[in-house]
Amino acid sequence: MRIEELLAPEALASIEAAVGRAERTTSSEIVPMLVERSDSYADVRAGVAALLAFAAGAVWLALWPRLARWTVPTQICVFAALVWLLHWRPLLRALLPARLRRERVQRAAALAFHHGGIHSTRERTGILLYVSLLEHQVVVLADEGIHARVGEGTWDDVVTRVLDGIPSGPTARSLAPSSGTSRRARRGCAGAE
């Protein structure tokens, strides 16, 4: 699922408008970020392909010992085919352990938060709503000015709403801060003014 397939230009405009409304009523600076994936997972793809190519060579030798000279070319072909095949999103996602997906999304969100300057807003009230489609993960990072006011579990309903919207398609609505944030989170953002 590509971002262009998920969000029409009208949906992007609606997210921008919702962010603008939320920012006008609070001192928070909200940055929604939607990415296709948080990592290339080249290490996973190459590792799985190499392991299966090695296994294919062992099977080849066991079944056709007279054709041993073709073992390495067979392994190379299996490796290349698997690396190509592992670009298919559903297969790649199925092979990724949940812990690895979570770690890579957290790392990418933290990098976006810091590299995007969201952590250096005037009143320390930046909020990143990071959605990674391949991993089906959502991370909300709030700067210390917001986080101190709203606490740990405040963003759970935001994450749930966005995740619920991804499979069925209404991600634009679930990304909109006015529909996705709890009253407590909005009060915390307003209190940061």
Side-chain angles (χ1 to χ4, degrees), residues 6-156:
L6 188 64
L7 294 176
E10 305 82 41
L12 290 171
S14 116
I15 291 170
E16 277 185 31
V19 167
R21 284 191 303 276
E23 288 179 342
R24 279 191 298 279
T25 60
T26 70
S27 65
S28 62
E29 295 182 38
I30 303 164
V31 178
M33 181 178 280
L34 185 66
V35 298
E36 284 188 53
R37 63 179 67 196
S38 292
D39 194 275
S40 69
Y41 298 103
D43 56 334
V44 174
R45 290 193 327 264
V48 168
L51 184 65
L52 293 176
F54 181 75
V59 169
W60 182 270
L61 284 174
L63 294 177
W64 301 288
R66 292 184 190 172
L67 300 174
R69 67 175 181 233
W70 291 101
T71 303
V72 172
T74 300
Q75 288 176 310
I76 291 171
C77 290
V78 168
F79 177 80
L82 287 171
V83 166
W84 177 80
L85 187 62
L86 287 172
H87 279 88
W88 188 46
R89 294 171 50 92
L91 181 58
L92 178 59
R93 186 176 190 287
L95 289 174
L96 295 172
R99 180 176 170 209
L100 180 66
R101 288 192 317 255
R102 202 170 31 257
E103 288 171 359
R104 302 272 172 106
V105 172
Q106 284 285 342
R107 182 180 63 195
L111 283 170
F113 189 78
H114 290 286
H115 286 261
I118 301 167
H119 71 290
S120 60
T121 60
R122 186 170 34 94
E123 297 179 37
R124 310 289 292 186
T125 56
I127 300 171
L128 173 66
L129 178 58
Y130 185 91
V131 181
S132 191
L133 298 177
L134 171 72
E135 297 88 350
H136 290 229
Q137 301 265 332
V138 176
V139 176
V140 179
L141 296 177
D143 208 345
E144 57 192 36
I146 296 289
H147 190 69
R149 288 177 175 84
V150 298
E152 285 294 325
T154 303
W155 307 109
D156 293 346

